[in-house]
Amino acid sequence: DTAVSQTPKYLVTQMGNDKSIKCEQNLGHDTMYWYKQDSKKFLKIMFSYNNKELIINETVPNRFSPKSPDKAHLNLHINSLELGDSAVYFCASSQAWRIGGTGNYGYTFGSGTRLTVV
Amino acid sequence: AQSVTQLDSQVPVFEEAPVELRCNYSSSVSVYLFWYVQYPNQGLQLLLKYLSGSTLVKGINGFEAEFNKSQTSFHLRKPSVHISDTAEYFCAVKASGSSASKIIFGSGTRLSIRP
């Protein structure tokens, strides 16, 4: 099936640990994103990569580091996890945005990774 | 910069009744507008989008939205809701014509359908 897939779906870990969330898309999209959804359902962008190049880097702690080995993958590594990092993390992808170009312009989202830090 | 305001955090509606979920946006440039739906414990799914052209946009599951530039609104409507429409709905905006701009989401509206 063509989709954006994230692993793991659930992640429970202790404070201070380091963890990674993986994301892969087989839609042929050039751009990938990480969003964080807090307990009040608010969605905030964290990072965006276009063809392995970082194009959006919001104000997030530098404990969060994205890595894009190729345009189909965007992984999120988190160091020294804190209680406040507990949230649902969504990966998404879209076709490349080009000025004056055509495209779907919508994002395709993964099903999310629920991270709980205890 | 763009911003999105969803005026209602929760909307309770009886089954088969009509519903409108309100969305207003703010932007100094032209925008694209979106509505996404999130069913419980799932990711977001695109309902519909406005890029240009007709201001009335039809989406999946019988939803439609109308772009009103003068009122900077993009309200979502459905003439008759079903229990299966119970979900969180997000309005979103993106600056048009920019390859690097991001989609900004509103805070969401929880639609709950009563039998």
Side-chain angles (χ1 to χ4, degrees), chain A residues 9-10 35 37 40-43 45 55-56 58 90 97-100 103-112 114, chain B residues 32 34 36 38 41-46 49 51 88 90 94 97-108 110:
Chain A
K9 193 172 175 64
Y10 299 96
Y35 275 82
Q37 187 175 46
K40 295 184 179 178
K41 299 287 188 180
F42 183 66
L43 272 160
I45 191 165
I55 57 171
I56 294 174
E58 292 294 291
F90 285 101
W97 305 87
R98 296 184 184 85
I99 295 176
N104 189 353
Y105 296 110
Y107 292 0
T108 301
F109 280 83
S111 55
R114 184 175 294 276
Chain B
Y32 299 133
F34 308 84
Y36 282 84
Q38 185 179 26
N41 299 315
Q42 294 187 28
L44 280 77
Q45 186 179 333
L46 182 65
K49 60 183 182 285
L51 304 182
E88 193 89 21
F90 293 92
K94 181 190 183 305
S98 169
S99 62
S101 69
K102 53 193 180 266
I103 288 184
I104 306 293
F105 286 87
S107 54
R110 177 163 297 180

Side-chain angles (χ1 to χ4, degrees), chain A residues 27-95:
Chain A
L27 297 162
H29 290 167
D30 292 315
T31 310
M32 297 184 72
Y33 312 81
W34 277 110
Y35 275 82
K36 179 181 180 180
Q37 187 175 46
D38 63 23
S39 58
K40 295 184 179 178
K41 299 287 188 180
F42 183 66
L43 272 160
K44 184 173 166 48
I45 191 165
M46 301 173 70
F47 302 104
S48 175
Y49 271 74
N50 182 57
N51 203 9
K52 302 193 296 176
E53 180 185 348
L54 181 66
I55 57 171
I56 294 174
N57 185 358
E58 292 294 291
T59 307
V60 300
N62 56 15
R63 299 181 293 105
F64 289 79
S65 53
K67 289 212 171 24
S68 182
D70 55 60
K71 72 175 192 178
H73 295 84
L74 180 60
N75 304 324
L76 183 64
H77 188 75
I78 316 170
N79 289 327
S80 303
L81 278 155
E82 300 177 358
L83 293 176
D85 297 332
S86 295
V88 182
Y89 292 84
F90 285 101
C91 178
S93 71
S94 69
Q95 291 175 328

Side-chain angles (χ1 to χ4, degrees), chain B residues 73-95:
Chain B
S73 68
F74 190 55
H75 301 331
L76 181 70
R77 302 186 185 99
K78 185 168 182 178
S80 175
V81 295
H82 302 286
I83 292 284
S84 59
D85 292 323
T86 298
E88 193 89 21
Y89 291 80
F90 293 92
C91 183
V93 64
K94 181 190 183 305

